[in-house]
Amino acid sequence: MNLNRLISVGITGTGSCLPEKELTNFDLEKMVDTSDEWIVARTGISKRRISDDRTATSDLATEAARNAMKEASLVAEEIDLIIVATVTPDHGFPSTACIVQKNLGASKAVAFDIEAACSGFIYGLTIGEQFIKTGLYKNILVIGAETLSKIVDWKDRNTCVLFGDGAGAVVLQPVKEGYGILASSLGSDGASGDYLTQPAGGSRIPTTMDTVQNNLHYVKMDGSEVFKFAVRIMVKSALETIEKSCLTLEEVDYVIPHQANIRIIEAAAKKLKLTMNKVHVNLDKYGNMSAASVPVALDEAVKEGKIKDGQIITLVAFGGGLTWGSSVIRWGK
């Protein structure tokens, strides 16, 4: 018996949480040598949300999860599994997912973190789908959550203008046959990992006074190499997953890409021959939220009525690792 053919897995609830504080490009002009015009022209970002000193990644993740559970009419005792995708966990351990489990009171849930940078949410979505398809679990929370403001060098104008904080969450459950996740594709290129990295703080370069003084705990990025990789891989991954779904690009109703840079999104859309009215963009308001970008954009698109039952939705992301992933979903329960 092939369980994968018997159980369809879909998203039955979405939720998000964003810090109240906005940091605009005009605020950044007072902090580093940059300008609103320069940032908008090169990234498409006008502002981003920044968490305060008291707010950790788990706090945003918990609230996003509660919002998704409410939409899915799910209570904490019914949750079987919590997956949190993040590169900014509260601690090395315990996992952020375990802290979210405690916060929600989801005492029956298994909980763990995954780390695939900006691709993390799609990795988590694909992992969660397998647990339901095998019949092991029925109700799963997949959360992408970040407080990137805590690992950004606010004196580096090339990186500090890009990132923001936030969390997005979905509930995965069995859905009607023909709906839900139709196909997914994941990939990694560890040989190119140095293009986007946080050098210190792990076992390779443990934290010392020198690593702190040399700013090695902040995000480091080769922007030009990441840009070239991102456009190529988003197109490749999206096309691969659409083909696995036995669909054509023309049948895709809406695309939700990772929100890193408007030029990346526009270049990928052009190669896919998509008009921008079929692509959801909110990075102008929130910047790059890494693993939170796709689920926050998904929740926003759902709340705005841009995604309707029966439509074909493509999620696609790239990130540090280097990693990438995409999922094609027939929306609805």
Side-chain angles (χ1 to χ4, degrees):
M1 182 181 295
N2 188 343
L3 288 174
N4 286 343
R5 295 183 63 86
L6 295 179
I7 301 177
S8 297
V9 182
I11 294 170
T12 59
T14 65
S16 57
C17 178
L18 296 156
E20 290 185 10
K21 181 182 177 181
E22 286 187 345
L23 185 72
T24 70
N25 292 347
F26 298 106
D27 295 323
L28 285 170
E29 288 179 352
K30 302 171 186 175
M31 298 166 59
V32 292
D33 181 17
T34 191
S35 69
D36 174 67
E37 182 181 11
W38 188 92
I39 298 169
V40 172
R42 286 161 178 78
T43 71
I45 300 167
S46 296
K47 53 189 175 182
R48 67 285 296 148
R49 298 293 182 92
I50 303 296
S51 56
D52 60 33
D53 292 341
R54 300 183 304 277
T55 301
T57 296
S58 65
D59 298 318
L60 302 178
T62 300
E63 190 60 28
R66 287 193 176 113
N67 292 332
M69 290 163 56
K70 182 178 180 181
E71 189 172 299
S73 301
L74 189 68
V75 297
E77 292 78 11
E78 297 175 300
I79 300 171
D80 299 310
L81 173 64
I82 301 170
I83 301 171
V84 174
T86 185
V87 295
T88 52
D90 287 24
H91 313 283
F93 56 89
S95 70
T96 301
C98 281
I99 298 171
V100 172
Q101 181 214 35
K102 176 191 71 173
N103 293 346
L104 294 175
S107 57
K108 297 178 183 178
V110 177
F112 60 82
D113 290 356
I114 61 169
E115 198 274 270
C118 308
S119 310
F121 174 75
I122 294 177
Y123 269 58
L125 202 67
T126 306
I127 293 167
E129 178 194 7
Q130 311 314 308
F131 279 105
I132 296 177
K133 280 195 168 186
T134 60
L136 185 60
Y137 298 133
K138 291 183 178 179
N139 305 312
I140 296 176
L141 274 170
V142 180
I143 306 165
E146 304 286 9
T147 50
L148 293 165
S149 63
K150 300 177 189 294
I151 63 166
V152 165
D153 183 352
W154 291 103
K155 296 178 181 179
D156 178 7
R157 71 170 187 168
N158 293 314
T159 56
C160 73
V161 302
L162 301 174
F163 300 104
D165 301 341
V170 301
V171 172
L172 286 182
Q173 293 179 307
V175 295
K176 183 179 177 181
E177 185 177 357
Y179 284 79
I181 300 170
L182 304 180
S184 295
S185 298
L186 304 175
S188 305
D189 175 16
S192 301
D194 288 343
Y195 292 152
L196 185 55
T197 182
Q198 182 187 20
S203 62
R204 178 64 62 190
I205 307 177
T207 302
T208 65
M209 185 67 73
D210 285 342
T211 65
V212 173
Q213 290 176 344
N214 289 311
N215 298 330
L216 296 181
H217 298 267
Y218 295 135
V219 176
K220 308 293 182 183
M221 183 174 69
D222 185 330
S224 62
E225 291 296 335
V226 171
F227 186 98
K228 289 184 288 186
F229 161 78
V231 175
R232 176 180 61 81
I233 208 64
M234 288 222 294
V235 172
K236 180 178 181 290
S237 184
L239 290 175
E240 179 180 310
T241 310
I242 292 165
E243 183 178 352
K244 286 172 66 175
S245 305
C246 298
L247 297 169
T248 65
L249 188 56
E250 290 71 27
E251 292 176 281
V252 173
D253 295 294
Y254 209 57
V255 176
I256 297 181
H258 172 50
Q259 308 288 310
N261 184 304
I262 191 61
R263 294 190 297 167
I264 292 173
I265 294 173
E266 289 176 343
K270 184 177 181 179
K271 287 180 178 291
L272 290 169
K273 298 180 181 178
L274 291 171
T275 58
M276 287 302 291
N277 64 355
K278 295 182 72 171
V279 181
H280 193 81
V281 177
N282 65 1
L283 70 93
D284 56 314
K285 298 182 292 184
Y286 307 128
N288 181 346
M289 296 183 288
S290 188
S293 285
V294 169
V296 169
L298 176 63
D299 182 51
E300 184 176 80
V302 170
K303 298 297 192 295
E304 292 176 358
K306 294 179 178 178
I307 297 178
K308 299 175 175 59
D309 281 1
Q311 287 187 325
I312 300 297
I313 311 303
T314 298
L315 314 179
V316 60
F318 66 92
L322 296 171
T323 60
W324 62 90
S326 56
S327 294
V328 173
I329 302 169
R330 187 181 298 278
W331 196 257
K333 304 178 184 180

